[in-house]
Amino acid sequence: MTTVRRAVLTLPAAPLGPDNPLPALRLLARAGIPAVDARDRAALPCDMARQLGHAPLRTVLPTRVRDGYGRERTPTELDTIVIENDRLRVTVLPGLGGRVHSLLHKPTGRELLYRNPVLQPAAFALNGAWFSGGIEWNIGARGHGTLSCAPLHAAVVTAPDGGEMLRLWEWERLRDLPFQVDLWLPDGAEHLRVAVRIRNPHERTVPCSWWSNTAVPEAGRILAPAETAWHHGYERALRRVPVPRTTDGADRTYPLDAPHAADYFYALPDGQRRWIAALGEDGAGLVQTSTDGLLGRKLFVWGTGPGGRRWQEWLTEPGTPGYAEIQAGLTRTQLEHLPLEPGEEVSWLEVYGPLSADPAAVHGPDWAAARAGVEHALAEALPRAGVDAAYEEWRAVAADAEPGPLLATGSGWGALEVLRGGYELPGTPFPDSLLGEEQRPWACLLRTGALPDPEPGAALGSTPVADPWRDMLETAPADPVTEYHLGVAQWAAGDLAQAVRSWERGLKNAAERWPLLYCLAVADREDGHRERAAERYAEALDEQYGGDPVVTAALAREVIPALLDASRTADARAVLDRLPEELRARGAFRYLEARVLVAEGRPDGARAVFDAGFEVADLREGAEELGELWSRVTDEPLPAAYEFRMRPADG
């Protein structure tokens, strides 16, 4: 019999720490439509051409940036939920985005996923903290989702076969969409069923993105039923390449043969069964397949260059085997968003599990024969008609089934949205009992038309930025706290000038000025007013200094670069020297120390900082600032410990 039970997993883990208390106002890069080779432009599928670059995010509001983690790991107990039958054991981390941490095939003892032996957050999610390994669920926009390290609601539901099924659900705040992920193992089954549903309860069209991301050992071959793929690398261009061998003759279906990090979005023909597999030398490994609604398939490789290898080491520990990612999404590429009409929902079924095919065919020179061998093995193990029938049965009898008592609890934001909108969402309850302290001011705004007075010294908290909340803020009494939140909502909507006016109005009578000064400083920076931005950043830090140390650290990390950008090196030095020694010892501030030393004309001092060693825990993917700073210090090659550059040398 299949069971669903709570368990505990102990891993060396770096604590997530506090979220960044500053509003995430930074404007994201305007990606738009990437460059497409002229010969490929005419061959774009119509839906792909229409959806490329559609509705990119302006910011990651209303979420907060998660950058409070470090790199010191200690044994930590993690709550898990285990789904198990006599063939497969599935370990889920409900407190970390519902990540499937392990997929163990019991008859062979084979771990089918790349199972990270540590939990090391890194700045890969849209809002910061993320970790590698397992199967993750990414909703919202291109990139690892904002729920990567956040708790989801979890409960047992009756599965389509009458057994037990695990339901995970939450309200995704970037796009304001509720979703659910149902996982179950029929008795005796070797493959995990995963049904996903995303609903748009609003009266407006909402851009939607979903990619299921599976980490697999990189020592093997990745197979998918395609002869071409769209290549997207750190050059930011999109071009069509042959599969398996690209134009340079290298076989990119072997991750260890790729010199540079890149995405390969496979061009699966219309009508083709959707699948992707990662198989080892013996022809055995993991297969993922789905109903046709999950259109896209992708391979991500880190590449064998020094930057890619350093990132692999950064995300786990030295000596750990590397990994690649096989992904499946609603669109052909991750550069697209699917428009979800008012009241519309989208759903599909995915299946994950073991697959074995003839290794001579899998690794043979004939790509068509390799694909055919895998497809034949898949048809025997998981007939396409059976997957489609399982999906229809789930839709009919299980999708709306009410969950039992909570096994894990997510956030209260869905409860707040249901309270505001009165939405009926069978199967994914968001009762008032889930409302927490973060939602309390906004529930008050709903009831009374005004935000409550904050407690003295209390943080202002996260701002809901959807249109209905902005409308309520515009009609609420215009006190400084309301003007602050209104400005954040206007900024998120792209009304930058009006946001500045709201913050300036709030500043006139604010008892606590630094949050509004900070917002105005960001607006000045985005508008190119470096000197005024630096002045306001510094004033915000001066007014806040001596308060919450988490706020002090967050402000200081932005104040010092702003002062350097305004050529106010002496002021940047004064801020740095004023900080507590414990704070200055952190890697991010050691890096800022080196920047200040270079600006002071003291490259030898900056070199000493590098030689002593430091780690910036929340370094962004593809970051090049360490290499750029090193090049201002010396002409010597960048030490391997600081080599995180991902672009090709001529990119």
Side-chain angles (χ1 to χ4, degrees):
M1 293 290 292
T2 299
T3 60
V4 179
R5 57 184 171 84
R6 285 192 181 103
V8 174
L9 172 70
T10 300
L11 284 179
L16 284 169
D19 288 355
N20 191 311
L22 306 177
L25 301 178
R26 183 177 64 87
L27 297 180
L28 303 178
R30 306 291 189 186
I33 299 177
V36 180
D37 289 351
R39 62 182 180 276
D40 294 325
R41 194 180 302 276
L44 282 173
C46 293
D47 58 341
M48 182 176 170
R50 183 174 60 253
Q51 293 165 176
L52 271 177
H54 172 66
L57 290 176
R58 296 186 183 93
T59 69
V60 297
L61 290 168
T63 65
R64 286 288 174 87
V65 172
R66 311 201 70 182
D67 60 1
Y69 52 87
R71 292 191 54 80
E72 293 185 9
R73 299 188 286 264
T74 58
T76 304
E77 291 187 347
L78 303 173
D79 291 331
T80 70
I81 299 174
V82 176
I83 311 167
E84 185 169 12
N85 64 9
D86 63 337
R87 313 296 292 174
L88 210 62
R89 181 184 303 131
V90 185
T91 303
V92 179
L93 302 174
L96 294 165
R99 182 82 58 101
V100 176
H101 176 70
S102 171
L103 198 62
L104 181 69
H105 186 229
K106 294 166 71 173
T108 62
R110 186 169 192 152
E111 175 58 61
L112 300 174
L113 308 175
Y114 167 76
R115 181 181 182 274
N116 198 332
V118 305
L119 175 58
Q120 176 56 63
F124 279 62
L126 289 164
N127 64 336
W130 170 87
F131 63 103
S132 64
I135 308 172
E136 61 179 294
W137 320 111
N138 293 301
I139 178 175
R142 177 192 170 201
H144 299 285
T146 60
L147 296 169
S148 293
C149 289
L152 305 187
H153 303 292
V156 171
V157 180
T158 301
D161 62 352
E164 291 187 328
M165 176 171 74
L166 175 63
R167 173 162 299 160
L168 306 167
W169 74 99
E170 245 301 358
W171 195 283
E172 199 284 316
R173 299 184 70 203
L174 287 182
R175 300 302 194 184
D176 226 13
L177 296 174
F179 69 97
Q180 71 190 73
V181 181
D182 289 352
L183 305 94
W184 77 99
L185 277 172
D187 190 27
E190 287 202 331
H191 295 82
L192 175 68
R193 275 70 170 168
V194 181
V196 183
R197 174 166 64 172
I198 306 170
R199 291 186 270 200
N200 177 11
H202 307 294
E203 296 180 353
R204 67 183 191 279
T205 300
V206 178
C208 175
S209 173
W210 180 280
W211 284 81
S212 302
N213 182 0
T214 305
V216 294
E218 65 180 350
R221 192 178 203 188
I222 309 301
L223 300 102
E227 295 183 352
T228 62
W230 294 97
H231 170 276
H232 187 255
Y234 284 81
E235 308 91 333
R236 306 303 181 194
L238 190 68
R239 58 188 177 89
R240 203 159 191 165
V241 297
V243 175
R245 297 190 179 276
T246 54
T247 51
D248 62 2
D251 189 337
R252 296 292 186 257
T253 62
Y254 288 94
L256 286 174
D257 287 351
H260 306 296
D263 300 324
Y264 293 92
F265 299 101
Y266 293 112
L268 276 61
D270 292 340
Q272 169 65 52
R273 184 178 186 181
R274 263 55 194 166
W275 62 266
I276 190 168
L279 305 181
E281 289 185 4
D282 58 355
L286 175 79
V287 68
Q288 188 272 1
T289 188
S290 71
T291 48
D292 290 348
L294 200 62
L295 187 67
R297 292 298 184 276
K298 168 193 162 183
L299 164 65
F300 168 76
V301 294
W302 280 105
T304 56
R309 306 329 292 175
R310 180 69 177 114
W311 274 117
Q312 294 251 34
E313 181 184 76
W314 184 256
L315 295 171
T316 179
E317 57 187 10
T320 302
Y323 74 96
E325 295 172 357
I326 58 173
Q327 303 186 23
L330 282 174
T331 51
R332 287 178 168 85
T333 74
Q334 285 173 325
L335 305 166
E336 306 165 64
H337 290 94
L338 183 74
L340 206 56
E341 300 298 327
E344 186 182 8
E345 66 178 54
V346 60
S347 63
W348 62 90
L349 178 70
E350 305 181 49
V351 184
Y352 296 82
L355 188 75
S356 293
D358 178 6
V362 167
H363 298 287
D366 188 333
W367 176 240
R371 298 192 331 256
V374 174
E375 190 133 21
H376 176 74
L378 176 60
E380 289 192 337
L382 283 168
R384 186 177 188 178
V387 173
D388 292 341
Y391 168 68
E392 295 299 335
E393 186 178 14
W394 170 81
R395 288 281 301 168
V397 305
D400 290 343
E402 288 303 305
L406 288 175
L407 298 176
T409 304
S411 77
W413 294 112
L416 182 68
E417 293 301 330
V418 168
L419 181 65
R420 182 196 61 76
Y423 304 123
E424 296 291 335
L425 299 168
T428 55
F430 294 97
D432 291 355
S433 59
L434 294 173
L435 293 169
E437 191 61 28
E438 286 186 292
Q439 293 80 43
R440 185 187 64 80
W442 305 98
C444 180
L445 177 64
L446 280 173
R447 291 193 309 270
T448 69
L451 288 170
D453 293 332
E455 296 292 330
L460 293 179
S462 177
T463 307
V465 299
D467 292 351
W469 293 106
R470 189 172 74 252
D471 293 343
M472 280 186 276
L473 288 167
E474 287 176 345
T475 58
D479 58 80
V481 171
T482 300
E483 294 285 14
Y484 163 82
H485 287 297
L486 175 58
V488 172
Q490 291 165 332
W491 184 270
D495 194 350
L496 309 189
Q498 190 59 53
V500 169
R501 285 192 282 271
S502 295
W503 293 326
E504 288 176 337
R505 285 196 304 267
L507 188 62
K508 293 177 182 178
N509 300 308
E512 191 170 39
R513 293 162 46 86
W514 74 260
L516 293 151
L517 286 167
Y518 169 76
C519 292
L520 290 167
V522 174
D524 285 333
R525 181 195 62 197
E526 294 290 349
D527 208 26
H529 298 298
R530 293 185 178 184
E531 180 60 37
R532 193 167 65 193
E535 189 65 35
R536 282 173 161 166
Y537 273 124
E539 189 178 354
L541 180 62
D542 285 343
E543 294 218 358
Q544 185 279 331
Y545 204 84
D548 186 339
V550 176
V551 177
T552 300
L555 281 172
R557 282 194 68 180
E558 298 197 39
V559 170
I560 294 168
L563 290 168
L564 290 175
D565 288 346
S567 301
R568 293 173 55 174
T569 304
D571 292 334
R573 165 58 68 189
V575 170
L576 190 62
D577 289 348
R578 180 185 182 188
L579 297 176
E581 187 58 37
E582 179 276 330
L583 191 57
R584 291 185 61 185
R586 296 181 190 176
F589 287 93
R590 297 300 294 154
Y591 164 69
L592 289 175
E593 171 76 32
R595 281 193 60 181
V596 171
L597 286 164
V598 168
E600 291 172 333
R602 299 164 61 192
D604 290 346
R607 172 65 183 264
V609 173
F610 275 96
D611 289 346
F614 63 89
E615 292 183 324
V616 181
D618 61 334
L619 205 64
R620 296 294 301 185
E621 179 184 5
E624 299 189 357
E625 56 261 34
L626 297 183
E628 291 170 355
L629 183 59
W630 177 262
S631 68
R632 297 176 63 189
V633 172
T634 177
D635 293 332
E636 296 177 23
L638 181 66
Y642 304 110
E643 180 56 273
F644 293 94
R645 295 172 295 190
M646 301 292 290
R647 287 187 298 171
D650 57 350

